[in-house]
C-alpha cells in the first residue's frame, strides 16, 4: 500500500470538488472541534471501554437525531483497514458503505493535521446511477491517492455487528467488543468514531459531507480540524 503523507493544503484539480470547497470559503462552518471527537479518535489506545457508552445510551425507539443531519461512522480494527458508513437513520442500513485502501493507523496519522479530506472519485463514464450507488472508487486522503475500493452492496457480519452496537449512538468514539471469531486475531480491537455530517449536493456528479460541531452555542475561538468526505463522478 502506498504511504500516506499529510498535506492539508493540496490543490484540488477536480473542478467539482473545488466547487464544493468554495461552498465553505465565504462562511464560518461549524465543523467538529478537535477538542472532542477527533482527539478521542487519536487516543484510541487509552480507551478500553467504549462499549460501555453504547450500553448506557441503550437503543431508543425514536432516532436521537431530529434534524436532517447525516450520520457518518468511521471504524476498523487498529491494525486493519478503515471503513466508512453513511446513514440517514442510525436504525436503518447505511446508504453507503466502503472499506478504504488504507490502515486505521494511517488515518490516525492524517488526523494530526488540521484538515482531513477523504475524496472518492468514480471514473464511470455514464451517470445512469445515483452518485452514491457507483461501485468502483479511486480514494484520496489529503490529496494523496491511496488506491481503489469497491462499495459494499451488502454488509458483512462484522459491519452488521458494528452497526448494531452503535444503533443508539449519535456521536462518540471508542472501542467495541471484539467478535468471538476475531478475538485471537492480530488486527487488534475494533475502534470507531461516529459524528453528524452536513450533506451538500453540488450536482448529480458531486456531493460532500462536512462534520458538524455538536454544539453551535460553544465558541472558544478554535475551529479545530476539519473532517470532510467528498464524492465526485468524473466524465
Amino acid at each position: 500500500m502506498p504511504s500516506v503523507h499529510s498535506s492539508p493544503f493540496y490543490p484540488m484539480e477536480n473542478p467539482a470538488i473545488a466547487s464544493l470547497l468554495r461552498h465553505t470559503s465565504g462562511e464560518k462552518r461549524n465543523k467538529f472541534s478537535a477538542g472532542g471527537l477527533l482527539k478521542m479518535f487519536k487516543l484510541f489506545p487509552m480507551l478500553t471501554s467504549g462499549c460501555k457508552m453504547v450500553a448506557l445510551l441503550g437503543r431508543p425507539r425514536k432516532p436521537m437525531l431530529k434534524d436532517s443531519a447525516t450520520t457518518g461512522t468511521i471504524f476498523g480494527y487498529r491494525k486493519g483497514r478503515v471503513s466508512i458508513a453513511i446513514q440517514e437513520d442510525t436504525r436503518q442500513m447505511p446508504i453507503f458503505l466502503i472499506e478504504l485502501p488504507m490502515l486505521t493507523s494511517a488515518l490516525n496519522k492524517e488526523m494530526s493535521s488540521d484538515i482531513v479530506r477523504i475524496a472518492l472519485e468514480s471514473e464511470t463514464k455514464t451517470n445512469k446511477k445515483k452518485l452514491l450507488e457507483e461501485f468502483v472508487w479511486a480514494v484520496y486522503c489529503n490529496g494523496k491517492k491511496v488506491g481503489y475500493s469497491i462499495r459494499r452492496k451488502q454488509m458483512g457480519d462484522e459491519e452488521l455487528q458494528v452497526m448494531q452496537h452503535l444503533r443508539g449512538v449519535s456521536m462518540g468514539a471508542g472501542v467495541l467488543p471484539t467478535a468471538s471469531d476475531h478475538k485471537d486475531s492480530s488486527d487488534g480491537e475494533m475502534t470507531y468514531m461516529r459524528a453528524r455530517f452536513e450533506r451538500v449536493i453540488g450536482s448529480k456528479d458531486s456531493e460532500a459531507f462536512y462534520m458538524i460541531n455538536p454544539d453551535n452555542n460553544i465558541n472558544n475561538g478554535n475551529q479545530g480540524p476539519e473532517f470532510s468526505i467528498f464524492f465526485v463522478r468524473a466524465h
Side-chain angles (χ1 to χ4, degrees):
M1 187 186 75
S3 59
V4 180
H5 302 281
S6 295
S7 178
F9 301 106
Y10 68 93
M12 296 298 281
E13 297 179 355
N14 191 300
I17 295 182
S19 175
L20 289 169
L21 287 174
R22 285 195 295 271
H23 175 82
T24 62
S25 62
E27 59 183 273
K28 277 199 171 182
R29 180 173 299 282
N30 288 311
K31 298 187 180 66
F32 194 84
S33 163
L37 219 50
L38 293 178
K39 280 189 176 180
M40 291 176 68
F41 192 75
K42 289 187 286 184
L43 295 175
F44 272 148
M46 298 177 61
L47 297 175
T48 57
S49 59
C51 55
K52 291 182 180 179
M53 180 173 65
V54 180
L56 289 173
L57 287 173
R59 296 181 178 181
R61 293 183 178 179
K62 295 182 179 180
M64 297 181 70
L65 302 179
K66 295 183 179 180
D67 54 19
S68 59
T70 302
T71 299
T73 309
I74 302 166
F75 62 96
Y77 289 102
R78 282 194 174 120
K79 297 180 181 179
R81 293 190 175 186
V82 63
S83 297
I84 294 178
I86 297 175
Q87 295 170 281
E88 293 179 340
D89 187 332
T90 56
R91 302 172 302 169
Q92 299 177 358
M93 295 295 102
I95 60 173
F96 186 87
L97 174 65
I98 195 169
E99 182 183 77
L100 302 181
M102 63 186 302
L103 298 176
T104 303
S105 57
L107 183 59
N108 285 343
K109 183 178 179 180
E110 290 298 322
M111 286 186 172
S112 63
S113 68
D114 288 338
I115 298 177
V116 179
R117 288 173 178 161
I118 303 294
L120 290 90
E121 183 177 42
S122 171
E123 299 175 354
T124 303
K125 300 301 180 182
T126 63
N127 56 2
K128 294 182 179 180
K129 297 187 181 75
K130 293 181 179 180
L131 180 59
L132 297 189
E133 293 177 351
E134 296 291 354
F135 279 101
V136 182
W137 297 89
V139 181
Y140 300 80
C141 181
N142 279 353
K144 181 74 173 182
K145 188 173 183 178
V146 296
Y148 287 86
S149 286
I150 298 177
R151 175 179 68 85
R152 296 285 182 87
K153 192 173 182 179
Q154 294 181 336
M155 289 193 296
D157 292 339
E158 289 183 347
E159 291 90 353
L160 183 60
Q161 185 182 44
V162 170
M163 294 298 106
Q164 287 177 339
H165 277 299
L166 298 178
R167 187 182 179 190
V169 177
S170 59
M171 54 174 289
V175 178
L176 292 174
T178 304
S180 57
D181 60 349
H182 213 94
K183 287 184 177 179
D184 297 329
S185 172
S186 60
D187 290 340
E189 297 172 294
M190 172 66 75
T191 59
Y192 75 92
M193 179 179 76
R194 170 168 281 189
R196 298 188 301 171
F197 286 77
E198 177 189 357
R199 184 177 186 177
V200 177
I201 300 177
S203 69
K204 66 180 184 300
D205 297 317
S206 62
E207 294 188 24
F209 293 83
Y210 299 96
M211 188 178 284
I212 300 173
N213 189 322
D215 189 349
N216 293 336
N217 295 324
I218 295 178
N219 183 11
N220 57 11
N222 179 19
Q223 292 295 319
E226 300 176 4
F227 193 100
S228 308
I229 306 171
F230 298 91
F231 293 86
V232 173
R233 179 161 45 204
H235 292 289

